[in-house]
Amino acid sequence: MECEMETNERNAKPASADNLLQWSQWQLIDSILPTGGFAHSFGLEAAMQARIVSGPEGLETYVIHVLENTGSLLLPFVYAATKSPNLDMWSKLDRTLEATLTNEVSRKASISQGSALLRISASVFSEVPSLKRMRDDLLGSRTVSFHHAPVFGVVCGLLGFDSGTSQRAYVFMTMRDVISSATRLNLIGPLGASVLQHQIAYVAEEIVKKWMDRPIEEACQTAPLLDTVQGCHSYLFSRLFCS
């Protein structure tokens, strides 16, 4: 009987730890985590002023293209960082993405959000001390830029995400943020935004499946027009978002 009780206790501890870990995983993708994602429109504001997007139908196409670009260019970095969440791998991925991003606006947005995510994760997820060590070791360093996709992948890996979930979470957050920016730009109402997000989810899943588990050597842009439009954001006379 005593042996059986000890076995049950041992089995209960990992289950309890896993349950607690899920709370941290949910918090990572919660919009309340102040990583600065809502300060960026992913080029939507510039696209509206250029009349590329002028209504809900154009918005749906734009969001899908943003997700396609996210899947083709950034998911390989999320995947690699999630699979090997260590300092050496992350530094290599960060330097590679720094060399890959030629759009100054999106590059600065990536660095801003990545820096914020690592700072907040190191403070919030205290049960993962390696996050704080990583930030302390690299704070003030000029060898890394703290791009968002590799940072997100590392945090996901350390919080116990599998690579498939981390990649879906990254695409989900991109979809959420760009549709949220459309709401604040009065392009669509809150209810319409929720309906649109649910409808696009089916397309988003196909995009994730298409680009999932790719090596970083295959990272590419599939919708270069969006990259060009986002690069024009800094030239707007009046703007609400940072990018």
Side-chain angles (χ1 to χ4, degrees):
M1 180 65 71
E2 289 181 359
C3 292
E4 182 178 350
M5 291 178 62
E6 289 176 1
T7 301
N8 290 337
E9 288 177 0
R10 286 196 298 269
N11 291 337
K13 288 181 180 179
S16 176
D18 288 344
N19 290 339
L20 288 174
L21 192 60
Q22 285 188 10
W23 289 91
S24 297
Q25 293 172 346
W26 294 337
Q27 186 174 8
L28 178 63
I29 62 174
D30 196 319
S31 60
I32 200 174
L33 199 70
T35 57
F38 289 149
H40 306 278
S41 72
F42 297 84
L44 178 61
E45 188 172 18
M48 288 179 62
Q49 293 200 30
R51 301 293 189 271
I52 295 175
V53 178
S54 57
E57 291 184 0
L59 172 62
E60 180 177 359
T61 301
Y62 187 87
V63 173
I64 291 173
H65 285 168
V66 168
L67 297 183
E68 188 74 37
N69 258 0
T70 299
S72 63
L73 181 63
L74 298 177
L75 281 194
F77 292 89
V78 176
Y79 168 65
T82 304
K83 292 290 286 184
S84 302
N86 59 74
L87 183 59
D88 291 338
M89 173 58 76
W90 175 77
S91 299
K92 175 186 175 183
L93 294 171
D94 184 83
R95 290 192 297 269
T96 303
L97 187 54
E98 171 71 12
T100 302
L101 294 176
T102 57
N103 180 335
E104 185 68 10
V105 174
S106 62
R107 190 184 69 83
K108 288 182 177 179
S110 175
I111 293 172
S112 174
Q113 293 180 75
S115 300
L117 176 59
L118 184 57
R119 181 182 70 252
I120 292 163
S121 297
S123 299
V124 173
F125 305 122
S126 56
E127 70 274 18
V128 188
S130 54
L131 284 171
K132 188 177 187 304
R133 287 198 301 269
M134 179 186 297
R135 182 172 183 268
D136 291 343
D137 290 344
L138 297 173
L139 195 62
S141 170
R142 296 185 178 181
T143 60
V144 292
S145 302
F146 300 100
H147 281 288
H148 186 249
V151 170
F152 182 81
V154 165
V155 175
C156 282
L158 293 175
L159 289 179
F161 278 75
D162 62 77
S163 60
T165 302
S166 69
Q167 291 171 86
R168 281 188 177 85
Y170 196 79
V171 172
F172 167 79
M173 291 193 308
T174 302
M175 177 174 61
R176 176 199 67 193
D177 291 353
V178 68
I179 292 178
S180 173
S181 67
T183 304
R184 284 175 286 162
L185 289 167
N186 293 320
L187 187 61
I188 193 171
L191 178 59
S194 297
V195 172
L196 179 62
Q197 181 174 344
H198 183 67
Q199 292 173 340
I200 293 180
Y202 298 94
V203 181
E205 174 62 17
E206 293 304 313
I207 290 173
V208 171
K209 288 179 179 178
K210 178 180 178 181
W211 297 106
M212 179 179 284
D213 298 352
R214 300 279 186 121
I216 60 173
E217 290 78 13
E218 294 185 15
C220 62
Q221 290 270 16
T222 55
L225 176 61
L226 269 64
D227 191 56
T228 303
V229 170
Q230 187 174 18
C232 298
H233 187 90
S234 59
Y235 298 105
L236 300 181
F237 177 76
S238 175
R239 53 183 181 269
L240 178 64
F241 293 91
C242 296
S243 73

